[in-house]
Amino acid sequence: MNSPLLLVGGGGHCIATLDVLESAGISIAGIIHGPDQPLEYICGYPPLGYDDNIPALRGKYNLALITVGQIKTPTIRKRLYTLLKKNNYDLATVISPCSTISQRTKVGEGTIIMHNVCINRNVTIGDNSIINTGSIVEHGCQIGNHCHISIGSVLCGNVSIGDGAFIGAGSVCREGIHIGENAVIGCGLRILFDIPPHKTIKSNVLSPLT
Amino acid sequence: MNSPLLLVGGGGHCIATLDVLESAGISIAGIIHGPDQPLEYICGYPPLGYDDNIPALRGKYNLALITVGQIKTPTIRKRLYTLLKKNNYDLATVISPCSTISQRTKVGEGTIIMHNVCINRNVTIGDNSIINTGSIVEHGCQIGNHCHISIGSVLCGNVSIGDGAFIGAGSVCREGIHIGENAVIGCGLRILFDIPPHKTIKSNVLSPLT
Amino acid sequence: MNSPLLLVGGGGHCIATLDVLESAGISIAGIIHGPDQPLEYICGYPPLGYDDNIPALRGKYNLALITVGQIKTPTIRKRLYTLLKKNNYDLATVISPCSTISQRTKVGEGTIIMHNVCINRNVTIGDNSIINTGSIVEHGCQIGNHCHISIGSVLCGNVSIGDGAFIGAGSVCREGIHIGENAVIGCGLRILFDIPPHKTIKSNVLSPLT
């Protein structure tokens, strides 16, 4: 049986996540803070120490969720994921009850679907990803591990997103394109063609990148 | 009394539509496939042949919905609409239960409102149109027949959209403007002025077109 | 005990607001019209005169809502707000039941949250503001008085919006930026940096304004 959920990361994304967890009626143990944070209560939830408490807390809790935000790089979330798995934590899969998710969607462990998201049929989402508030993921999309699909972004049908990629708030990806692993798409952009891996995009992509 | 629904078109838009139909509890007979498709089951629904089976199937079914997607041109959807009407089919009007639709909205036959759409008061939508996932249609908009309002697009108040027009994903049309019939608006654009009929728009429209 | 709601303003925004009020089951007395409008019924609700009837109607009604739209300038809505307060009206706070609002959101008097809005945790919204259809307001945002966050716009986490500011339809404001008081952001823009007070923005802001 699952213990209350251990949250790893106490910044802005944690606060937004708390709202989703409370909506979904999920019991929360407390929060592991980042290295520069004071050990304070956040929204009423107790601090449970820093990252180096993660191994010891496994004796008490078996279920965790990474609540560090991911802006541009997935490095910290990937490191925490490895640390949690090494210590035999299960990672929660969380879906806001205020979202519209096709029953034919596969969502990996440690991934959270925030409020007002719509995910259509035959979508696959990997582990430890964030599908953020109000984003739209159309039929047939494939989203990798450690991705962040930011708020209000729009993925048309059959878009594929490589591991570790970031899609900025309010950006639109055209039907069928591929965003390479660890690519970073800025906010409010039109992406009409494939993006190579590790590429950072700061303006609209209207023709193929070579 | 209505028979189970006959779907005409078996591509990506059909798959997304199936999710809406199942959410709405609508009984589905099977799928008429496009000319290049193999006659395979789609999401568990049987193939019922190609377009030339439409007349014969009228003996068994009386209710149909066109589930061919519409990217840029409404030609195929218009042709199928004519074929179905000639064979005395009724066309279903489908509204996702995961959408917010004013009771003062008129929606024509053969039109589908997908998930997470919001349609405000005093809106009129014609026949055989697609109002796609997460789009916003504000008060007083007029949308014609055979239109496709693509995912995540935003129509401000009193926008009018001519027959056969296509509004790309994530595009925004300013209050009160008119998009001419069969115009094509690309994805992620800002349309601040009227667009003439049959015009294809690939960049932002910030001043009147002459 | 509250009387039926007096609406002040009978244009397009009033029509959209009526849909929200009816969804929320709020009793409506009728509509005070703008100076150039005929005194006609709107959507079945009776005209109750012009602005100069506001003092006399206080004998009959104690609760009002300003339903004049706000495009670019808050001047009219601010004037009506002052007039209503001077005459000891209470201003209604209205939240569409078709929206997702964190219980940790503070919403001021006279402010309306329209359909399909999502407001995350720790957001504060002032008085007499419009949070329009389908907009997203992320965790920690601060929105002032007499603001209009237009339809489908996206405010990332910890954005602050000064009194009287207007955010155009479908615009995106990056995490943590500040929009100055009475600033006007056009529709469909990417705002990546702070905007000074009283500034009108018609193109994307991709670097700091000096």
Side-chain angles (χ1 to χ4, degrees), chain C residues 86-136:
Chain C
K86 207 177 74 180
N87 285 281
N88 295 313
Y89 282 89
D90 292 324
L91 290 179
T93 300
V94 178
I95 296 177
S96 164
C98 308
S99 60
T100 304
I101 310 295
S102 170
Q103 290 186 322
R104 314 302 169 103
T105 295
K106 288 180 192 157
V107 182
E109 66 166 358
T111 287
I112 186 165
I113 315 287
M114 306 289 283
H115 292 320
N116 277 31
V117 165
C118 187
I119 298 181
N120 217 311
R121 198 166 183 135
N122 294 359
V123 166
T124 301
I125 302 170
D127 300 334
N128 193 32
S129 287
I130 303 168
I131 313 298
N132 221 330
T133 310
S135 54
I136 300 172

Side-chain angles (χ1 to χ4, degrees), chain A residues 11-13 15-20 22 43 45 71-72 96 98 114-116 132-135 150-152 169-171 186-189 201-204, chain C residues 98-104 116-122 135-140 154-158 170 172-175 188-192 204 206:
Chain A
H13 176 61
I15 290 169
T17 297
L18 285 169
D19 211 77
V20 174
E22 291 178 1
C43 305
Y45 298 100
I71 297 185
K72 294 180 183 169
S96 164
C98 308
M114 305 290 283
H115 292 319
N116 277 29
N132 221 330
T133 310
S135 53
S150 197
I151 68 171
S171 284
C187 94
L189 294 175
I201 302 294
K202 296 188 175 177
S203 56
N204 294 319
Chain C
C98 308
S99 60
T100 304
I101 310 295
S102 170
Q103 290 186 322
R104 314 302 169 103
N116 277 31
V117 165
C118 187
I119 298 181
N120 217 311
R121 198 166 183 135
N122 294 359
S135 54
I136 300 172
V137 181
E138 262 300 336
H139 60 83
V154 173
L155 306 184
C156 294
N158 301 306
V172 184
C173 295
R174 184 162 72 176
E175 173 117 2
L189 294 174
R190 314 167 58 200
I191 309 297
L192 305 187
N204 293 319
L206 312 179

